[in-house]
Amino acid sequence: MPLVFSYGTLQQHNVQRDTFGRLLEGSLDELPGYRLSMLRIGNREVVATSGATHHPIAGFSGNPADRIPGTVFEITDEELARADRYEIPAYRRVLVDLASGTQAWAYVDARRPAADRAAGGGPGGGRRKPALAPKASRPRRDVEKAYPKADFVAKLRRLADAIENGKRFEIRIAGERIRVPARAILNVEHERTGREEEIEFQIKWSAGG
């Protein structure tokens, strides 16, 4: 059964009753590498459910010292789909590694496009589609992984060598080996939100490359 990590309103009993029709049992944990900020919620239905006009939202920092406390819940696939529908498009669901070593789904800031950092994408229209269902022969995946500086630099060096020599690049991310074709599209993205800034080196390719 899926595990979901909540640091916000999904921990509230009223939200659980309205979203899942029951109260959830969970265990305390922490999400490293993320920082909290507050987001104004414009969706009246969500505000009516949570009773709050501003919700916490987790933004990726990459600093393992940054930790967000919360609760891990075990839910069904159907309940995970309900949680997807509850969250507004500013949030997207990604698979994260918690401080305990547990992997769980978490809803984080979707206002930072990360097509290759997370293969799952964001919500469509006003609601999010469940990300567990497989598409074609491969399951959808949405992962962010923080690495120590030395490991990160080593991966960048291997990537630069592969690009320079026009070769395929292989990288293991959260336990899965990814093969990046030589024809992949490369770009750099910069985003500024409030006091936070982010630079992303993106690598894109179509399936079968």
Side-chain angles (χ1 to χ4, degrees), residues 39-162:
L39 175 70
R40 184 180 181 278
I41 305 299
N43 186 306
R44 294 181 180 179
E45 182 180 347
V46 173
V47 171
T49 299
S50 69
T53 58
H54 290 73
H55 290 189
I57 189 166
F60 182 71
S61 70
N63 183 354
D66 292 332
R67 294 194 170 207
I68 298 175
T71 308
V72 181
F73 300 108
E74 184 177 53
I75 58 177
T76 67
D77 289 340
E78 172 57 30
E79 287 171 335
L80 186 61
R82 293 180 186 177
D84 285 340
R85 292 192 290 270
Y86 167 74
E87 300 291 350
I88 66 172
Y91 294 83
R92 66 189 185 94
R93 173 155 56 86
V94 299
L95 193 62
V96 297
D97 294 319
L98 301 176
S100 65
T102 300
Q103 280 198 332
W105 293 108
Y107 294 93
V108 302
D109 198 337
R111 298 168 297 176
R112 303 178 181 186
D116 294 287
R117 191 176 64 206
R127 296 295 181 185
R128 178 188 301 271
K129 295 180 181 180
L132 282 182
K135 185 176 182 180
S137 60
R138 294 178 63 83
R140 298 186 67 176
R141 194 168 190 243
D142 203 334
V143 176
E144 287 186 14
K145 180 72 174 177
Y147 290 97
K149 183 186 294 185
D151 292 348
F152 183 73
V153 170
K155 291 178 186 295
L156 285 181
R157 286 196 177 121
R158 290 198 301 109
L159 173 61
D161 289 343

Side-chain angles (χ1 to χ4, degrees), residues 147-189:
Y147 290 97
K149 183 186 294 185
D151 292 348
F152 183 73
V153 170
K155 291 178 186 295
L156 285 181
R157 286 196 177 121
R158 290 198 301 109
L159 173 61
D161 289 343
I163 293 172
E164 187 174 25
N165 293 298
K167 295 182 178 180
R168 185 178 70 175
F169 175 70
E170 293 190 3
I171 182 172
R172 182 176 292 276
I173 302 176
E176 180 174 332
R177 183 170 296 280
I178 309 298
R179 293 174 174 83
V180 182
R183 64 177 180 79
I185 299 172
L186 311 173
N187 60 55
V188 180
E189 179 177 307

